[in-house]
Each structure stands twice: as C-alpha cells, then as structure tokens.
C-alpha cells in the first residue's frame, strides 16, 4: 500500500495479519498492521473469535447454572470468577457468609491469583524466547491443580463456590498442601527472578517497550496489575476491602513507567504478596460451617430433609427452581488477577437472571492495545501483548 | 521495583456521598434509579448525558476518571415494565476518591440512539461498539461503529430479548479490515496514494463452510 | 578353466545374508514412521488449550509418544488438535488452516466444545467442528484431562497403524 507519511515521504507499507491463530496471540486475537520496514505505522485489532454467547446463555438458566459458565471466562483462574459472581448475588441477598467460607475464599482467591500470574508471566517469557521459565512456572501450577482436584474434582473448571458459601468443606490436610505449594511457588519465583531480573537481553527487550503511562491507562479504563505498573496505587482489596482484606498484611506492588518490564515485575512481586496473604489466611482457618444458614440460599441438611416437611419443600424449591434474588440491578466487583472483574446483574425477581453483564478486565486492555503499538517494532508485539494478559474467554465472553 | 514505597499517587480519599452526587446531577435532570438498591444508579436524560459525564469526569469533587463498562439492557418482557425498551448503563469509578456511581440512559426502540462518549473516555470506544453489536443501540458520533463480537455478516442483534438464542448465522469470509486500517492511517496523518492490489488478509471463498 | 555352476541351494539366495534383512510391507514402514513422529498444530482457542499446554509440559510430557514437536505453521504439521470452542467467526479460519496442511493429516477434536459445541448452544458457536472439517478422534471432557489428550494420541497412533496407502489416497484426494 503506497502512502505519503505525515513527513511527506512516499513509502510502501506492508500489511500483515497477526492471528487469529498465531502463537503469540494465545488463540483468538487478530491484529492487522501496516509496517514501514520493521516499525508499525498503524495497527487495528479485532476480537470476537471466541464469542460464545455467555451473556445470552446465562439468561436461559437459573442463577446456579451461571456458575459453570463463569468458570470459562478467565479459565486461568476460574475460581476467581466463581467467587466474584457469587459475591455479587450474595450482595443482592444481603447475606453474611460464615467466617470459614470467607477465609477459604480468600485462600482460593489468592492461590488463583498466583497461578494466573504464573501462566501469564510464563507464557510471556516464552514469547520472549525464555522457554525454561515456562517449565519452572508450570510445575508448581500443576501442584495447585492437584489441590483443586482434591478439593472439588476438577482441575481447570472448578465451580467450587455456591451462592451462599462453598461447594463443600476442604479435605483433611488441605492446609499443609496449601502451605507446601505456596513455598514451591515462591521458590519458582525466586529462581525465575534470578534468571531475568538482571538479564541484559530481557531488560533490553522489555524496558521502555509498550509503555502506557498513568493518564493514558486511566482513560483507557485499565485496572489491576497493568494500571499499577503505571504507578497508580489502586487495588480493590485495599480501596474497597471485601472479605476482610483490610485485616491482612500485604502491600500493593507498583511500577514506575508502565512498560512491559514493569508489568511483568508487578505480577512477579504480587505473587509474593499473595503468598503472604495465603499464609495469614491459613493460620486463621477455623472449623465451622461453609454455607450460610439462610434458607433462601442453602440446601437444608439431609437429616432435616428426611424429618421436616418444611425443609423438604425448601430443598425441592432450591433444586428445581433455584434462588430468587430480589428484583433490581446491582453492580459488584472484585480485584481479579487481571483487574477489576465486575458483574452487573439485573434481576426481575425470578429464578433466571434477566441480564448479566461481565465487566471483563482485559476488554479495556485489549481495546487499547492496537493504539499502543503505533511506532513500535514488530518484534515487540508479542512481548507487550503477553504482558497485558489477554484471556480470550473473558474478553469475548 | 519496590512494594508501594515510592508512591507517586496519593492515598484514596473518602469521596462524595450518594446524596451529594444526586444533588450535583439534579440540575441536569438526574434522578435516582430505584432499581439499584445496593449502590447508586442515576438516570440521566439522553440530551444531558455528555454534559453530565463531563461534569462527573472533570469535577474537582467527583473525578470519575474510570469508565468501567458500557452495558446495554433490554427490558422487553420485564415484568410490569412501563419505561422505554432499552437502557445503557455506565458504571463509573474514581481513582482519586472512593466513590462509584452508575449512570443510566433510557432510550426507546424506535429511536435507539445515545450520544457517544468515545472522546470522554477512550475505554468507551470499543465498549460502545459491543453494545451496538449486541443491542442495536446507535452511539451517535462514534467514528467506527462496527460489529465487535459478532462477525460482519451477522444480521440482527443477538442480546435483544426477541432474538432466539439458537438462531445461528454462518460466516463465509472474514472481514479483511483494510478499511479500518486505512482510516487509522489517515487519522495518523498518512495519505493513501494507492489501494492494495490484492485485498490483504484472509478472505478465501469457503465453499464447504456452509454444509 | 572349466565352468562350474554354483550348486543350487534349497532356499532362496537371501538366506546367505543371515539376519541382515527384514521383510515388511511399505504400509507398515510408512505408518510406523508417521505414527511415531506426529507434529501437532495446536488450534487452541479456549480453556481446553490450557490443558493442552498441561499435556505438553513436563508433568504429562507428550514427548513420550513422539508428538512433542509443536508447530505453529500448518504447513509443517500433520496433526491438527482443535482444543476449544469454535465460533462461526472462527470457522473460516479453521477451515483454511486445515486446507493448508499437507497430506497426510489427522484431526483430533479435543473437548466438548470442539466435538459438539459443548454447553454453548448458542447463536455464535459451531455445534461441533465436524461441520467444517473431518475429524479422526474425539475427546470427551470439559476440559479433557491431559491424560485424555495422551489417550487420544495413542488411539490415533493405532488408527494410523491400520491405514492403507491406497485407501488414504482415495479419501484424502492426494497421492
Ligand atoms: S470443552 Fe469446556 S473446557 Fe473445553 S473449550 Fe469448551 S468450555 Fe472450555
């Protein structure tokens, strides 16, 4: 394509397509770029290749049936989506969860955050050519999956929470397993940091690449680690604490410039902060119920069902019809691994959700990405794309 | 890299109460939405949307600098609903203050159009495209109102309540996106002298795709 | 010099060569080679692709079955692993990638979504990739465990073993 540049030169631009099935696009993103030599003159992005109709499908079923769908939003940290959705519905009901359920959710949230960061950074480093780190990160992640399996039977798509609590209590030895795996993850992080933090090649390929400053990031609607990498100290766990996060001791990790290096490092150090939270939460874990006693949400015990007519009816109602949140509209969010994960739920008082809108953190990140590439090199496309952590399931829903 | 040591950013401050935000928006015709019983949703008339949003973003006491999302809602068949058919919700948040608000505009089916906010928050650009794609609500003034989630041969708007869930639509050829790229180049100050001879990109006639 | 014919032995002359020969069919040799050096192209779109990564990683280690050389170019691969949901927007891309792969080629459809659309019975999802391309092995599960992926590869190897060159030429339309 022959063009006249703003400087008045006449050049031939080459157009290339990256994706939608390109290893660096992690599946389903498409980037269409015009190149001037090795520099990207302009790029446009496309999405929707994994649009599976989450928002239409959930209107067809009950609130409980939404949970398996939420697993498949951000499938690198499925439990976070479960918890975020349950928290939003529980907020509509106005129920308080028992202490053990809350602490368990904190442990699961933070472990999910850790493995999400592991996958993101591991894959990002592969894009930069550092394959070894991928194995260093994937082995501890498999160990977390083993805990997930013992906890709920599934490795990836867990559906571990229920509206009003958890699917079930933990297995004996859960605490030891968690503490052991946290140690393994921390070791892996230390090892990888040792390999990359002062590595000339790594620094040259990430420093001042894909820089997004604070003002730009805020206008683009970025949240989470990508926003913190630009030096904006915002974390829902600190700003609008839920699940008692204000009582845990941890720090938010901040970057300075908002380049790829900062984004990778923010994630690395956040893994360590999450490890701190997990340790504190495990220490607090006391025996107790993991579901609320609220009859609108929780199934009665088997014993009650067999001996009490009311409980039997309630059990039938909950299973055949499901829960009925009060009519109205509610937006609720948590700090997910990628940023603010929000659910806008519109209820008509019935058993099926009337409308659920997911506020996916990577949507804003991906929408800003093509613009961010203008003027950068083709070789940096993959590294900066990996560092904003786009998960197609959540992006396209 | 240090853990929150060199914080360039001040700590979050308390922010406005719901009443104060409502009082601020009242001259622009803002009214509290009774449906949101958990947070604060303000319904703003469509004509005042841009003014209200600019006020909320730039006001010294409000500083709602994050527009988190643009969410369409279709009230067709909502029990006892008498209002307009569509609504668009904008959950806003401030990185300076600890306050949130959701702004909502309601539009009728035969005039489903809302002023675009792509120049107020750049995050609205694609979010509005998605809402147009899914609900058919036009964002007046949007520079590139194309489908985002569904393919370019799609007809209709799938999240409308009257779109059957299983009505599938096949795609024969992917969007080459040359027009978008050229628009972007023009916006950056380039002048296109020659159209590409072959359409770059992926189009290939897919005979077998429709079985 | 009087010409003396070599006395005819009872068996064929190859016998003199001892164990240096193995007789087999062309099919068996070719299939043996193909079976043990599958080069997969991962068409991973969604959650199942994460489990594909799990299969490649050291815990499950697909290299034990000779299929670890993941290629991201369809022209260098002979095994297409479709892991994840395929939408109508994605369908032409998948079809094109399949067309670009050279014969012989096999397809594994991994997971409920690729096999049948999974629980996304919706306006945008293809109800099974066999609407678009032929599939050799289906894997159940949402997502399938990495062991199931390995099992699929073993099954495919068995299938390749039974393959007949001439048949394949007819079916695949290539020599
Ligand atoms: S089969 Fe299940 S895990 Fe696999 S892509 Fe589909 S939804 Fe995801």
């Amino acid at each position: 394509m022959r063009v006249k540049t703003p400087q008045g030169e006449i050049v031939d631009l080459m157009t290339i397509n990256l994706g939608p099935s390109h290893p660096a696009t992690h599946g389903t993103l498409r980037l269409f770029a015009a190149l001037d030599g090795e520099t990207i003159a302009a790029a446009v992005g496309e999405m929707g290749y994994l649009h599976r109709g989450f928002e239409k499908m959930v209107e067809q079923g009950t609130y409980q049936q939404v949970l398996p769908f939420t697993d498949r939003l951000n499938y690198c940290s499925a439990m976070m989506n479960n918890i975020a959705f349950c928290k939003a519905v529980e907020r509509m009901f106005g129920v308080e969860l028992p202490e053990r359920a809350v602490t368990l959710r904190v442990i699961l949230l933070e472990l999910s955050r850790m493995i999400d960061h592991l996958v993101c950074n591991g894959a990002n480093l592969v894009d930069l050519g550092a394959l070894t780190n991928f194995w260093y990160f994937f082995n501890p992640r498999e160990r977390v999956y083993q805990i997930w399996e013992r906890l709920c039977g599934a490795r990836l798509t867990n559906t571990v929470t229920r509206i009003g609590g958890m699917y079930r209590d933990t297995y004996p030895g859960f605490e030891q397993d968690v503490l052991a795996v946290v140690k393994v993850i921390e070791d892996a992080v230390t090892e990888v940091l040792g390999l990359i933090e002062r590595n000339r090649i790594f620094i040259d390929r990430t420093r001042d690449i894909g820089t997004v400053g604070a003002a730009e990031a805020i206008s683009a609607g970025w949240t989470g680690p990508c926003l913190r990498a630009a030096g904006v100290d915002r974390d829902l766990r600190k700003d609008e604490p839920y699940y008692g996060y204000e009582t845990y001791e941890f720090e938010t990790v901040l970057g300075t410039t908002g380049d790829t290096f900062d984004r990778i490092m923010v994630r690395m150090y956040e893994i360590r902060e999450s490890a701190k939270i997990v340790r504190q939460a495990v220490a607090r874990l006391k025996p107790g119920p993991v579901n609320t006693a609220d009859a609108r949400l929780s199934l009665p015990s088997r014993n009650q069902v067999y001996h009490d007519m009311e409980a039997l009816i309630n059990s039938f109602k909950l299973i055949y019809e499901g829960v009925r949140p009060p009519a109205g509209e509610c937006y609720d969010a948590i700090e997910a691994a990628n940023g603010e994960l929000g659910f806008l739920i519109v209820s008509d008082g019935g058993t099926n959700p009337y409308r659920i809108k997911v506020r996916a953190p990577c949507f804003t990140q991906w929408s800003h990405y093509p613009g961010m590439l203008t003027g950068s090199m083709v070789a940096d496309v993959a590294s900066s794309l990996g560092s904003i952590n786009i998960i197609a399931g959540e992006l396209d829903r | 890299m240090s853990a929150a040591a060199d914080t360039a950013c001040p700590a979050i401050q308390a922010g406005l109460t719901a009443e104060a935000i409502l009082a601020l928006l009242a001259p622009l015709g803002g009214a509290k939405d009774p449906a949101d019983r958990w947070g604060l949703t303000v319904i703003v008339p469509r004509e005042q949307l841009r003014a209200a949003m600019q006020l909320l973003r730039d006001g010294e006491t409000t500083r709602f600098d994050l527009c988190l999302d643009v969410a369409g809602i279709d009230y067709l068949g909502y029990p006892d609903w008498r209002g307009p058919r569509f609504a668009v919700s904008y959950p806003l948040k401030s990185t300076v203050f600890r306050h949130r608000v959701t702004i909502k505009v309601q539009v009728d089916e035969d005039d489903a159009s809302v002023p675009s906010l792509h120049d107020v928050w750049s995050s609205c650009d694609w979010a509005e495209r998605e809402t147009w794609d899914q609900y058919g609500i036009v964002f007046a003034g949007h520079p590139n109102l194309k489908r985002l989630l569904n393919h370019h041969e799609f007809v209709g708007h799938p999240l409308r309540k009257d779109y059957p869930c299983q009505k599938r639509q096949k795609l024969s050829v992917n969007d080459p996106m040359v027009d978008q790229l050229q628009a972007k180049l023009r916006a950056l100050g380039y002048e296109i002298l020659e159209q590409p001879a072959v359409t770059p990109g992926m189009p290939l006639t897919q005979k077998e795709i429709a079985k | 010099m009087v010409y003396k014919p070599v006395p005819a032995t009872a068996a064929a002359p190859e016998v003199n060569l001892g164990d240096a020969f193995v007789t087999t069919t062309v099919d068996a040799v070719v299939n043996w080679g193909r079976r043990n050096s599958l080069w997969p192209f991962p068409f991973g779109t969604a959650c199942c692709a994460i489990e594909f990564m799990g299969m490649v990683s050291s815990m499950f280690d697909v290299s034990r079955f000779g299929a670890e050389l993941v290629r991201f170019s369809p022209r260098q691969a002979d095994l297409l692993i479709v892991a994840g949901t395929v939408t109508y927007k994605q369908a032409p891309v998948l079809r094109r990638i399949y067309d670009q792969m050279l014969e012989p080629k096999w397809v594994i459809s991994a997971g409920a979504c690729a096999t049948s659309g999974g629980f996304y019975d919706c306006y945008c999802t293809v109800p099974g990739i066999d609407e678009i391309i032929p599939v050799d092995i289906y894997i159940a599960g949402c997502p399938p465990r990495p062991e199931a992926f390995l099992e699929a590869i073993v099954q495919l190897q068995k299938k390749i073993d039974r393959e007949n060159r001439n048949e394949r030429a007819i079916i695949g339309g290539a020599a």
Side-chain angles (χ1 to χ4, degrees):
Chain A
M1 185 169 24
R2 176 153 299 175
V3 296
K4 192 158 152 204
T5 64
Q7 289 80 34
E9 286 172 66
I10 297 198
V11 290
D12 270 323
L13 294 185
M14 185 173 97
T15 51
I16 60 161
N17 232 325
L18 277 150
S21 184
H22 182 274
T25 63
H26 299 266
T28 51
L29 312 166
R30 178 169 167 216
L31 202 67
F32 187 48
L35 306 182
D36 180 3
E38 262 197 271
T39 316
I40 296 178
V44 285
E46 198 189 9
M47 56 182 266
Y49 287 98
L50 190 58
H51 175 52
R52 310 190 266 196
F54 170 89
E55 285 162 8
K56 190 79 175 177
M57 288 304 296
V58 295
E59 289 171 10
Q60 321 293 321
T62 64
Y63 281 89
Q64 282 103 330
Q65 286 171 342
V66 177
L67 272 172
F69 284 104
T70 62
D71 277 333
R72 287 144 182 93
L73 290 172
N74 181 345
Y75 32 73
C76 289
S77 50
M79 287 191 182
M80 277 191 157
N81 310 310
N82 296 159
I83 294 173
F85 175 71
C86 285
K87 180 168 166 279
V89 181
E90 282 152 12
R91 181 168 174 206
M92 296 184 88
F93 277 103
V95 291
E96 282 286 317
L97 291 188
E99 197 196 321
R100 184 174 172 85
V102 169
T103 319
L104 264 181
R105 282 189 182 185
V106 170
I107 296 175
L108 299 182
L109 277 173
E110 294 309 318
L111 270 179
S112 304
R113 192 186 314 280
M114 287 159 97
I115 55 172
D116 191 282
H117 287 351
L118 287 181
V119 175
C120 169
N121 277 349
N124 199 351
L125 290 168
V126 174
D127 294 342
L128 288 166
L131 187 66
T132 329
N133 305 294
F134 183 73
W135 311 126
Y136 285 169
F137 276 168
F138 259 57
N139 289 344
R141 194 190 72 127
E142 283 293 339
R143 299 207 29 188
V144 178
Y145 278 178
Q146 283 166 3
I147 298 182
W148 285 178
E149 259 185 289
R150 296 189 66 183
L151 196 62
C152 63
R155 286 161 50 87
L156 199 69
T157 46
N158 314 93
T159 321
V160 71
T161 58
R162 292 292 179 271
I163 297 165
M166 307 296 294
Y167 159 48
R168 63 174 179 207
D169 207 339
T170 57
Y171 58 90
F174 171 74
E175 290 88 345
Q176 288 77 11
D177 280 0
V178 168
L179 291 179
V181 86
V182 166
K183 178 83 181 49
V184 175
I185 294 178
E186 278 189 321
D187 288 350
V189 170
T190 312
E191 208 159 0
V192 170
L193 275 178
L195 280 173
I196 61 169
E197 206 169 17
R198 286 153 196 279
N199 184 326
R200 193 73 248 162
I201 303 171
F202 174 73
I203 293 174
D204 282 349
R205 288 214 53 193
T206 52
R207 263 273 170 239
D208 298 321
I209 302 292
T211 310
V212 178
E216 192 184 341
I218 289 175
S219 169
W222 285 20
T223 50
C226 294
L227 182 63
R228 289 195 283 275
V232 184
D233 184 9
R234 285 297 160 261
D235 186 330
L236 282 184
R237 294 175 291 173
K238 291 266 188 205
D239 303 342
E240 298 165 39
Y242 50 92
Y243 291 159
Y245 266 115
E246 67 277 19
T247 59
Y248 292 94
E249 210 171 289
F250 70 103
E251 312 222 26
T252 47
V253 185
L254 294 184
T256 45
T257 54
D259 53 12
T260 303
F261 182 84
D262 279 355
R263 286 193 287 269
I264 295 179
M265 286 303 158
V266 163
R267 289 209 172 81
M268 287 287 194
Y269 283 89
E270 264 185 19
I271 297 177
R272 290 188 168 167
E273 298 300 318
S274 293
K276 279 192 208 164
I277 303 179
V278 173
R279 290 219 174 84
Q280 294 169 47
V282 169
R284 287 185 200 179
L285 206 54
K286 284 191 208 70
V290 291
N291 276 302
T292 93
D294 196 316
R296 292 171 301 167
L297 296 176
S298 289
L299 287 176
S301 73
R302 285 287 98 183
N303 199 21
Q304 281 173 305
V305 173
Y306 291 141
H307 297 106
D308 179 3
M309 195 58 199
E310 298 280 305
L312 180 67
I313 293 171
N314 191 20
S315 178
F316 265 122
K317 281 238 165 216
L318 277 178
I319 286 174
Y320 283 97
E321 290 185 352
V323 300
R324 292 168 177 271
E329 295 168 21
C330 178
Y331 176 84
D332 196 51
I334 69 162
E335 180 77 25
N338 236 346
E340 174 166 340
L341 173 67
F343 282 91
L344 173 73
I345 303 179
V346 180
S347 158
D348 57 358
T351 54
N352 291 13
Y354 188 77
R355 161 87 166 119
I356 295 180
K357 173 78 176 67
V358 188
R359 193 273 161 191
C362 52
F363 182 85
T364 49
Q365 286 158 23
W366 171 247
S367 68
H368 189 60
Y369 179 69
M372 173 180 144
L373 285 178
T374 311
S376 68
M377 308 284 268
V378 191
D380 301 330
V381 167
S383 66
S384 47
L385 176 59
S387 72
I388 58 173
N389 194 16
I390 305 296
I391 307 286
E394 181 183 79
L395 178 72
D396 297 343
R397 288 152 298 180
Chain B
M1 190 65 36
S2 59
D6 43 0
T7 315
C9 189
I12 199 156
Q13 296 161 34
L16 295 179
T17 58
E19 289 74 31
I21 296 175
L22 273 173
L24 202 69
L25 290 172
L28 294 170
K32 188 172 177 350
D33 181 3
D36 188 353
R37 289 187 262 139
W38 298 273
L40 174 66
T41 299
V42 184
I43 301 181
V44 176
R46 179 170 63 180
E47 294 68 36
Q48 302 293 348
L49 178 72
R50 282 186 64 91
M53 290 304 212
Q54 250 141 9
L55 176 75
L56 288 173
R57 188 190 67 173
D58 300 329
E60 267 312 300
T61 53
T62 47
R63 298 289 292 276
F64 284 104
D65 44 10
L66 273 176
C67 179
L68 294 170
D69 207 352
V70 177
I73 304 168
D74 178 4
Y75 288 101
L76 182 76
Y78 193 91
D80 306 324
W81 185 256
R82 278 187 205 85
R85 175 167 173 189
F86 294 113
V88 183
S89 250
Y90 302 82
L92 307 182
K93 182 182 142 174
S94 167
T95 59
V96 183
F97 302 111
R98 190 186 287 121
H99 54 202
R100 285 174 184 271
V101 69
T102 305
I103 302 294
K104 199 163 153 189
V105 275
Q106 296 182 323
V107 284
D108 260 321
E109 187 181 357
D110 38 356
D111 181 22
S113 156
V114 176
S116 168
L117 297 171
H118 71 276
D119 47 350
V120 183
W121 291 282
S122 62
S123 64
C124 284
D125 184 342
W126 282 36
E128 285 173 354
R129 280 176 64 187
E130 180 192 328
T131 311
W132 181 80
D133 182 2
Q134 300 281 49
Y135 283 97
I137 298 169
V138 175
F139 289 86
H142 193 289
N144 179 28
L145 204 58
K146 290 185 77 172
R147 286 191 183 273
L148 189 68
L149 294 177
N150 295 302
H151 53 77
H152 64 130
E153 291 173 6
F154 202 89
V155 181
H157 301 283
L159 276 191
R160 288 190 173 193
K161 289 281 175 184
D162 48 8
Y163 189 96
C165 180
Q166 274 121 10
K167 186 176 166 209
R168 296 183 155 87
Q169 300 194 19
K170 287 175 179 160
L171 170 69
S172 57
V173 172
N174 281 87
D175 185 2
M177 299 216 299
V178 180
D179 50 340
Q180 279 189 56
L181 186 68
Q182 293 191 343
K184 184 122 180 198
L185 280 170
R186 284 200 195 93
L188 288 168
Y190 288 85
E191 202 182 310
I192 315 283
L193 302 177
E194 193 184 288
Q195 293 293 328
V198 202
T199 357
M202 298 187 296
L204 248 203
T205 25
Q206 305 297 334
K207 280 172 265 115
E208 298 101 326
I209 168 109
K211 198 165 121 185
Chain C
M1 221 37 213
V2 183
Y3 172 68
K4 266 203 244 157
V6 180
T9 45
E14 296 97 84
V15 166
N16 297 335
L17 293 166
D19 289 347
F21 266 93
V22 178
T23 51
T24 179
T25 58
V26 176
D27 270 350
V29 178
V30 169
N31 287 345
W32 172 80
R34 286 175 176 171
R35 155 166 68 86
N36 291 316
S37 62
L38 290 168
W39 287 17
F41 175 97
F43 191 83
T45 59
C47 353
C48 283
I50 304 285
E51 284 299 56
F52 174 83
M53 294 206 290
M55 172 185 78
V56 180
S57 70
S58 26
M59 193 79 85
F60 296 96
D61 196 12
V62 64
S63 50
R64 291 178 293 159
F65 303 91
E68 82 279 19
L69 208 59
V70 175
R71 291 283 112 170
F72 286 102
S73 163
R75 297 183 203 282
Q76 295 170 353
D78 53 6
L79 169 61
L80 178 64
I81 298 185
V82 183
T85 325
V86 176
T87 61
Y88 282 111
K89 198 168 180 173
Q90 184 83 276
V93 182
L94 174 61
R95 175 74 221 192
R96 181 149 188 211
I97 284 177
Y98 178 78
D99 287 345
Q100 284 176 336
M101 287 172 64
L102 302 179
E103 285 285 344
K105 54 189 172 188
W106 298 275
V107 179
I108 290 181
S109 148
C113 279
T115 303
S116 68
F119 67 179
Y120 294 98
D121 186 8
C122 199
Y123 58 91
C124 42
T125 48
V126 177
I129 57 162
D130 44 12
E131 301 250 317
I132 313 166
I133 57 175
V135 177
D136 292 280
I137 305 281
Y138 297 90
I139 315 179
C142 180
R145 297 182 50 93
E147 290 95 329
F149 275 92
L150 295 178
E151 168 73 10
I153 289 191
V154 172
Q155 292 291 341
L156 183 65
Q157 290 177 339
K158 286 193 186 145
K159 184 170 175 179
I160 294 174
D161 255 349
R162 292 194 302 268
E163 248 166 32
N164 175 322
R165 235 164 15 113
N166 301 330
E167 258 173 42
R168 175 136 208 125
I170 297 162
I171 295 168

